[in-house]
Amino acid sequence: MSATPTDLLREATTRLERLAADAESGALDAAITILVDALDRGGVLHAFGTGHSEAFAMEIAGRAGGLIPTSKFSLRDIVLHGDRDISVLEGEPPLERQPWVVEELMATVPVHEHDVFLIASNSGVNGSIVGTALWAKERGHRVIAVTSLDHTARVEPKHPSGKRLSEVADVVIDNLAPYGDATLEVADGIGAGAISSITAAFIAQLLTLGVARTIAARGETPPMYISANIPGGDEHNSVLEDRYAGHIRRGA
């Protein structure tokens, strides 16, 4: 059962190559079209994930080489931007499993008519994740999901609706993670080499690239961040961010 770094590299590379091939063949086109349409209408792209899936939202929103009309929100916003005490983040069961948090959370998010939601969850069944997707759909927003189709099909939904994220979203992108996320067995029944964060980050970048290429192909300049750590970066970014003042959130 020896699992080596080379084994993990193989597991990652195989999946990234498959995602790239799928993107080349048009598998992400539906999602890219939704995103471009939202930007054309003056909307922004809201990214959300809980636990390790929050990394996906960080890849979508507010980073160098990323799209400026993007925003991310997280469960802790009910403390940072709402009225809840920080102790709520340490309750049991975990906040990510609680459907009630959605209304309070979304009251803190600056959502406008033409915005789109990108929601990442490996399991795709927790109450806050499914509830947020339902909240968005009920208000006419389109939802793009990034989830493990293998995992989500093998676990029970935790939302009162009985739905999974994959059953709510307009477009579903499989992150290709196996059931349980770990790709390698290191002892009897013990796994390591979780892969969903790696593939989700790659998906986020494929979507960003697809949107930017689509806009550039029309002869327009995509609204992209450049690194704040190179000369002129702050000035470039601030000018474009000002166009979306009150519509996107940037924090520490």
Side-chain angles (χ1 to χ4, degrees), residues 209-225:
L209 177 62
V211 171
R213 289 177 61 186
T214 300
I215 294 173
R218 303 188 310 206
E220 303 170 18
T221 301
M224 310 296 291
Y225 278 106

Side-chain angles (χ1 to χ4, degrees), residues 34-56:
I34 288 174
L35 299 176
V36 171
D37 181 61
L39 299 186
D40 286 346
R41 293 169 178 264
V44 305
L45 318 181
H46 293 283
F48 177 56
T50 63
H52 66 268
S53 291
E54 189 176 345
F56 170 82

Side-chain angles (χ1 to χ4, degrees), residues 187-198:
D188 189 20
I190 304 298
I195 204 73
S196 64
S197 294
I198 296 173

Side-chain angles (χ1 to χ4, degrees), residues 78-153:
I78 65 171
V79 174
L80 296 174
H81 302 285
D83 299 323
R84 286 282 181 168
D85 183 80
I86 194 171
S87 61
V88 74
L89 303 179
E90 301 173 345
E92 287 293 337
L95 199 58
E96 67 178 349
R97 297 183 180 178
Q98 303 279 18
W100 64 258
V101 74
V102 173
E103 289 297 329
E104 290 189 29
L105 174 62
M106 298 314 300
T108 72
V109 181
V111 180
H112 293 202
E113 180 182 4
H114 298 298
D115 296 350
V116 169
F117 287 74
L118 298 100
I119 303 178
S121 171
N122 194 57
S123 69
V125 296
N126 280 323
S128 64
I129 288 292
V130 176
T132 299
L134 288 169
W135 185 97
K137 290 291 295 178
E138 288 166 359
R139 288 158 179 79
H141 301 283
R142 288 172 290 184
V143 175
I144 297 168
V146 177
T147 190
S148 166
L149 293 182
D150 183 18
H151 190 111
T152 199

Side-chain angles (χ1 to χ4, degrees), residues 12-84:
T13 301
T14 299
R15 288 172 170 83
L16 297 183
E17 288 177 343
R18 179 176 163 188
L19 288 169
D22 287 347
E24 289 282 4
S25 66
L28 298 184
D29 287 0
I32 291 168
T33 296
I34 288 174
L35 299 176
V36 171
D37 181 61
L39 299 186
D40 286 346
R41 293 169 178 264
V44 305
L45 318 181
H46 293 283
F48 177 56
T50 63
H52 66 268
S53 291
E54 189 176 345
F56 170 82
M58 296 174 71
E59 286 292 319
I60 288 290
R63 62 154 299 145
L67 292 158
I68 285 179
T70 55
S71 195
K72 66 180 177 68
F73 58 97
S74 65
L75 293 176
R76 60 183 170 274
D77 287 347
I78 65 171
V79 174
L80 296 174
H81 302 285
D83 299 323
R84 286 282 181 168

